[in-house]
Amino acid sequence: QGGNNAGHTVVVDGKEYDFHLFPSGIINPKAISFIGKAILEFTKFGRSSSSLCFLHIASCLKDWEKRLIISDRAHIVFDFHQAVDGLQEVQRQAQEGKNIGTTKKGIGPTYSSKAARTGLRICDLLSDFDEFSSRFKNLAQQYKSMFPTLDIDIEGQLKKLKGYAEKIRPMVRDGVYFMYEALHGSPKKILVEGANAALLDIDFGTYPFVTSSNCTVGGVCTGLGVPPQHVGDVYGVVKAYTTRVGIGAFPTEQINEIGDLLQSRGHEWGVTTGRKRRCGWLDLVILKYAHMINGFTALALTKLDILDVLDEIKIGVAYKLGGKRIPYFP
């Protein structure tokens, strides 16, 4: 997973759940859910909500904390990461006249901290809190120097974080060893769930209108520490039409009554942002491109019934560049 910016609406037995970070297997009382090398946000900790973001789902599910495991290597999203995410979007709009359309969940700034080797992980939070506090203050000061208008309640944040540490401590494990035991111990069925779509991958997506993580199948190896030879079937999940939240190229988009119909009939709203999803015809070029990268062994086609009311259905079959068809995704 790449953080809680991705939203998934899951309906089970007539009940609707909105997932942001939890694996959707958390609904299954027989399954153990594992959050790997993700990035975790604590700010909603303990609030009453129907959304399954992080540790505030007691009202929705029974004994969820007994079947949730969190990797000690997961990076932490702080409040100032989220504030900076918003400030950067304002800067982009002012300087370039356009922004990226992020969810303002602090995902990009947290990955920036990670890449700069100044990020803080769950293992840091649960070990020496004085050392953690010192590194937290240094990181906060770095961001304050870059964004002078940024207001950070350092002591207040640290107090909250210390409380969160004790609440999650029983759930935290060495993630690599946990996966090794799962793969080599008694036979288990292991299903890995990705967040975001292939075209939002930081390396292979429609850059720069992408997320900050690897949400292609390679994320199974880099996110969980699973060796490639253990990856079996790969299921691509695709709607019978194409959608996109936020800015970025969308050749088959229908900015007309067709797009409105797909949006309304398909209930196409961003789970995290509440924004309307942009809708258009199924784009087989990007589907084939996603297959080139992920090597799907099967496709799960969803929402075919949304098209039932249409007399004619169109599908994007090829791209042209300079008047000529091209066999690749440019």
Side-chain angles (χ1 to χ4, degrees):
Q1 300 265 48
N4 66 326
N5 55 338
H8 304 277
T9 299
V10 180
V11 181
V12 178
D13 294 332
K15 187 169 183 179
E16 185 175 295
Y17 301 87
D18 288 336
F19 287 96
H20 297 277
L21 186 63
F22 272 49
S24 48
I26 197 78
I27 298 171
N28 183 352
K30 296 178 183 178
I32 297 296
S33 288
F34 174 55
I35 298 177
K37 192 200 65 180
I39 54 177
L40 305 183
E41 178 216 333
F42 292 115
T43 54
K44 295 192 176 88
F45 193 110
R47 290 185 195 169
S48 175
S49 171
S50 61
S51 293
L52 305 189
C53 180
F54 194 65
L55 303 190
H56 62 292
I57 59 172
S59 61
C60 304
L61 298 169
K62 188 180 179 183
D63 296 331
W64 60 269
E65 65 274 17
K66 293 178 182 176
R67 54 182 188 272
L68 177 70
I69 293 171
I70 302 163
S71 172
D72 56 350
R73 288 165 171 80
H75 277 255
I76 304 170
V77 183
F78 299 117
D79 281 5
F80 56 76
H81 282 131
Q82 296 193 38
V84 165
D85 203 350
L87 290 171
Q88 287 177 328
E89 283 286 79
V90 171
Q91 277 187 355
R92 292 183 193 107
Q93 189 67 47
Q95 292 169 359
E96 303 170 31
K98 60 182 178 182
N99 55 36
I100 289 176
T102 78
T103 57
K104 299 185 178 68
K105 289 292 181 181
I107 308 304
T110 304
Y111 271 96
S112 296
S113 295
K114 173 184 165 182
R117 280 90 78 190
T118 55
L120 287 160
R121 302 186 292 176
I122 296 294
C123 54
D124 302 313
L125 176 64
L126 298 189
S127 54
D128 185 334
F129 194 75
D130 289 337
E131 172 70 14
F132 175 86
S133 299
S134 176
R135 290 175 61 189
F136 177 87
K137 289 174 183 176
N138 288 340
L139 184 59
Q141 288 301 330
Q142 284 176 23
Y143 275 106
K144 281 177 72 72
S145 65
M146 288 188 285
F147 299 91
T149 60
L150 195 61
D151 182 27
I152 305 174
D153 177 9
I154 290 176
E155 295 306 323
Q157 285 286 297
L158 285 170
K159 185 179 178 181
K160 285 182 181 179
L161 287 161
K162 194 168 188 177
Y164 300 156
E166 297 317 306
K167 289 183 180 178
I168 68 162
R169 192 179 293 276
M171 305 174 203
V172 177
R173 304 259 191 97
D174 183 301
V176 172
Y177 186 63
F178 172 78
M179 284 307 305
Y180 180 83
E181 283 195 307
L183 290 164
H184 295 90
S186 58
K188 294 178 180 63
K189 291 179 180 176
I190 300 173
L191 176 68
V192 178
E193 177 185 24
N196 293 300
L199 271 290
L200 291 178
D201 186 270
I202 184 70
D203 294 309
F204 297 109
T206 49
Y207 192 90
F209 306 106
V210 293
T211 190
S212 303
S213 60
N214 288 115
C215 37
T216 43
V217 75
V220 176
C221 303
T222 58
L224 295 172
V226 172
Q229 66 264 34
H230 287 288
V231 177
D233 293 322
V234 179
Y235 300 108
V237 182
V238 59
K239 293 173 188 170
Y241 51 95
T242 303
T243 65
R244 175 160 201 152
V245 173
I247 303 164
F250 190 168
T252 62
E253 182 175 14
Q254 298 299 296
I255 309 173
N256 51 30
E257 66 278 2
I258 295 289
D260 292 341
L261 182 141
L262 294 172
Q263 198 278 326
S264 59
R265 274 183 61 84
H267 304 289
E268 296 294 350
W269 302 88
V271 175
T272 300
T273 61
R275 291 179 292 189
K276 282 185 178 181
R277 291 195 182 107
R278 297 157 62 194
C279 298
W281 299 118
L282 179 63
D283 187 333
L284 293 184
V285 178
I286 58 173
L287 182 56
K288 184 177 180 181
Y289 174 67
H291 174 58
M292 289 178 192
I293 298 163
N294 293 289
F296 300 132
T297 47
L299 287 176
L301 182 67
T302 68
K303 294 198 167 183
L304 191 59
D305 59 322
I306 302 304
L307 305 177
D308 281 352
V309 296
L310 296 168
D311 294 325
E312 181 180 77
I313 297 167
K314 294 185 180 182
I315 295 176
V317 294
Y319 287 4
K320 284 182 177 179
L321 195 61
K324 293 181 180 180
R325 278 195 180 201
I326 53 172
Y328 55 90
F329 180 77

